Amino acid sequence: MIAGGLALAPAGAFVLAALALFVIDAFSPGKTSGGVLAGVSAFGAVGALAASGVFLLSGAASGGIELFGGQLVVDGMSLLFTFIFGSVTALVAVASFDYVREMPHRAEYYMLILLAATGMSLMASANSLAVAFVSLELASLPSYALVAYLKGNRGSVEGGLKYFLIGALSSAILVYGISLVYASTGSLLLSDVADAAGEAAATYPGVFGTGVLMIIGGLAFKTASVPFHFWAPDAYEGAPAPVSAFLSSASKAAGFVLAFRILLVGFPIQSVVGAIDWVLVFQILAVLTMTIGNFAAATQERVKRMLAYSSIGHAGYVLIGLAALTGVGGASAGATVLGASMLHLLVYGFMNTGAFLFVALVEHWEIGRTFEDYNGLARQAPLACVAMTVFMFSLAGLPVGGGFVSKYYLFAGAVGAGVWWLALVGAINSALSLYYYSRVVKAMWIEEPIEGRTIAHYPTALYAAVLTAAVVTVFLLPGLVVFDGAAFDAAAALL
Amino acid sequence: MVLETVPVEYYMVLSAAVFCAGLFGVLTRRNALLFLMSVELLLNAANINLVVFAFYWGEITGQVFALFVIAIAAAEVAIGIGIILVLQRNFGDVDVTDATTLRW
């Protein structure tokens, strides 16, 4: 057991690194060396990663530690997700060293990333609707600014604008949903909401059901699930590629952890089913999100946009974790499929971040964005292309990386919970996704190289980040076992 | 007290009306600044609910949360105005339908 305040050490590491950057940059504003900025950010992120990893694997927080009168809770799930945020932030901070090297406002860039990561780790611990909303905004507001970071670039500004407009609308819908739930239950604390939920669902089914549905809508925005996915392709394509990596991996995981906790702790399905059957809602969302994401990805001509749609498709796979909580097969079947969702987000944090960072590398070389521009790239940058091949095949679910194991758990878990048709839709979509992922691989390795393309230098930090992500992705194929127990225990604790 | 004479349902109707007005504005306005104002209406609709039901349930959580929402709305507007400023610099207008360089 760890002492109260120490349990928040992972979030504290993010905050301290952000504040340290404030102080460091105050000495000579705008002139601090990129190495110091990236180093402090990566140090803070690795601190968060190490602290959450140690707490998680040592079982120090098993059973959950409640802080601030139950407003925050540190348990297996929050630590597992903080571990994801820490690893993604560390990779992004290292990769950004090369990417933003020549750009103004670098210190602000790193600070915004760290503050968004703080918001995400608080989202993972939020145990009341008030904290959920405040931490969600703490994660969102820096993200809007980060997407529009290249302020002279039309794509970046447009992506930021669309992200902001849809984000502002969704957070307003979320807070209205919270107000309706408060109206019918009289509390914002998730455990108290759960106590009052059964009565509220019976007495005011309309108000309570609408409130829950609006909260689900607000969370669907954060996870880029259909029908709140419209911002995602534009924001991911327009944003600087490291920011796309950060948003599509960490920010999506943060949305999911919040959804898991609010729905499972605050609105237990057996007491709210009279007003709103959210399992059914998530079944519809999962099928739509998987199918629309994958079909749209298959029609893209630009690699980054393809990855953006594929990231929507992966949100669909993770939604199976909530959609399969039908009660068939008992609590253990539910814990298996929910734990599999968490594991998929963990693996996804590495393989998807790596894929977007490879795009960052290509953007750094300024050799174009379409599949054709990648032709024959393997002759000039073989090492990076091996890494990209690993990411693509792991995303598709082939057994070269952890993506295979987590998808296997997910689909097997869905079958075990009696929703075999969800697993079937998922498997069909995975097969389709192999088509567009292998297009990238084919372009890099098989097509003839483009004439006259030269790559002047190979940025060390970007390479380090891409290769680290690739090594971890491969390692997670046999090594996901390390996190298995923690994830399934965390899931079982919620059910 | 006011609430003893005005039933709580009336306040919900009021907040739903404000919410619908805001939603209508969000969906129809092309000017980014008017869009921001409409989002403020949406948030204030939620604030009405929070404050009324804090009184109804006889506790203070909802009122305090309404203050949080007001503060966050201000922060959100600050970010929004910044993005609208760069929108104006890049596209020469604050019309949200102008920014269409990224398409399917």
Side-chain angles (χ1 to χ4, degrees), chain A residues 148-451:
Chain A
Y149 173 69
L150 308 171
K151 55 184 183 176
N153 175 311
R154 284 187 153 209
S156 176
V157 170
E158 183 183 337
L161 176 75
K162 287 180 178 169
Y163 190 22
F164 171 74
L165 293 180
I166 301 183
L169 174 61
S170 324
S171 65
I173 291 177
L174 174 72
V175 76
Y176 197 77
I178 292 176
S179 81
L180 290 181
V181 168
Y182 179 68
S184 48
T185 61
S187 179
L188 290 172
L189 207 61
L190 288 180
S191 49
D192 292 353
V193 170
D195 290 340
E199 199 191 326
T203 328
Y204 319 102
V207 173
F208 183 74
T210 315
V212 175
L213 205 57
M214 289 174 106
I215 290 178
I216 292 176
L219 296 170
F221 155 75
K222 202 71 194 145
T223 58
S225 306
V226 175
F228 288 89
H229 67 290
F230 293 104
W231 60 273
D234 289 339
Y236 293 170
E237 193 188 353
V243 172
S244 316
F246 184 63
L247 293 183
S248 63
S249 309
S251 183
K252 187 183 296 280
F256 274 112
V257 68
L258 199 53
F260 292 160
R261 191 169 322 267
I262 288 183
L263 289 164
L264 295 169
V265 178
F267 309 125
I269 186 69
Q270 54 277 19
S271 34
V272 304
V273 73
I276 172 139
D277 183 358
W278 55 255
V279 169
L280 180 67
V281 172
F282 277 104
Q283 288 176 347
I284 298 169
L285 285 186
V287 170
L288 284 178
T289 309
M290 277 191 274
T291 314
I292 292 179
N294 279 301
F295 273 86
T299 60
Q300 296 306 316
E301 284 309 312
R302 280 168 290 182
V303 176
K304 204 174 175 190
R305 207 166 173 81
M306 178 279 281
L307 283 176
Y309 276 109
S310 106
S311 130
I312 295 173
H314 276 271
Y317 302 138
V318 177
L319 283 174
I320 292 179
L322 286 169
L325 299 176
T326 49
V328 178
S332 74
T336 307
V337 71
L338 187 64
S341 277
M342 296 179 192
L343 289 173
H344 192 64
L345 284 167
L346 172 70
V347 181
Y348 189 71
F350 288 98
M351 60 189 179
N352 182 63
T353 307
F356 271 105
L357 291 181
F358 180 84
V359 173
L361 187 62
V362 173
E363 281 182 5
H364 184 80
W365 286 328
E366 298 179 348
I367 57 179
R369 296 175 158 236
T370 62
F371 284 96
E372 284 75 34
D373 292 323
Y374 282 50
N375 281 356
L377 200 56
R379 314 248 175 110
Q380 283 160 303
L383 203 54
C385 286
V386 168
M388 185 61 169
T389 309
V390 168
F391 301 140
M392 291 292 105
F393 284 152
S394 180
L395 281 167
L398 296 186
V400 294
F404 169 74
V405 191
S406 59
K407 256 190 199 171
Y408 172 77
Y409 282 149
L410 202 50
F411 295 158
V415 173
V419 279
W420 56 269
W421 52 273
L422 268 175
L424 184 69
V425 175
I428 294 173
N429 274 301
S430 284
L432 171 69
S433 72
L434 187 59
Y435 156 71
Y436 58 79
Y437 288 130
S438 51
R439 271 179 80 192
V440 180
V441 177
K442 177 165 166 278
M444 289 189 307
W445 293 95
I446 298 176
E447 302 287 344
E448 284 301 308
I450 297 172
E451 300 282 323

Side-chain angles (χ1 to χ4, degrees), chain A residues 62-142:
Chain A
S62 58
I65 301 167
E66 291 199 343
L67 299 159
F68 304 108
Q71 300 282 327
L72 285 176
V73 62
V74 176
D75 60 3
M77 183 170 75
S78 81
L79 290 171
L80 181 69
F81 278 83
T82 309
F83 182 81
I84 301 176
F85 307 144
S87 19
V88 173
T89 310
L91 289 172
V92 168
V94 170
S96 298
F97 170 70
D98 283 319
Y99 195 88
V100 300
R101 187 196 288 269
E102 309 289 325
M103 299 178 192
H105 309 301
R106 284 188 313 246
E108 288 80 356
Y109 171 91
Y110 287 108
M111 276 180 232
L112 288 171
I113 287 200
L114 287 167
L115 289 173
T118 312
M120 290 170 194
S121 53
L122 289 177
M123 278 165 85
S125 291
N127 202 27
S128 99
L129 292 171
V131 178
F133 177 67
V134 173
S135 57
L136 185 133
E137 289 296 307
L138 178 56
S140 292
L141 295 180

Side-chain angles (χ1 to χ4, degrees), chain B residues 12-54:
Chain B
M12 290 206 79
V13 171
L14 170 69
S15 96
V18 174
F19 188 83
C20 290
L23 198 61
F24 179 78
V26 164
L27 296 177
T28 56
R29 293 297 165 194
R30 297 170 61 172
N31 185 314
L33 291 169
L34 289 176
F35 183 100
L36 272 186
M37 293 177 199
S38 307
V39 169
E40 291 299 306
L41 279 183
L42 294 176
L43 291 170
N44 283 327
N47 284 341
I48 294 175
N49 269 347
L50 289 169
V51 172
V52 168
F53 281 92

Side-chain angles (χ1 to χ4, degrees), chain A residues 19-55:
Chain A
L19 294 180
L21 285 182
F22 264 112
V23 174
I24 292 168
D25 195 56
F27 285 115
S28 53
K31 297 194 182 62
T32 318
S33 89
V36 172
L37 297 173
V40 172
S41 315
F43 186 74
V46 170
L49 161 93
S52 52
V54 167
F55 290 166

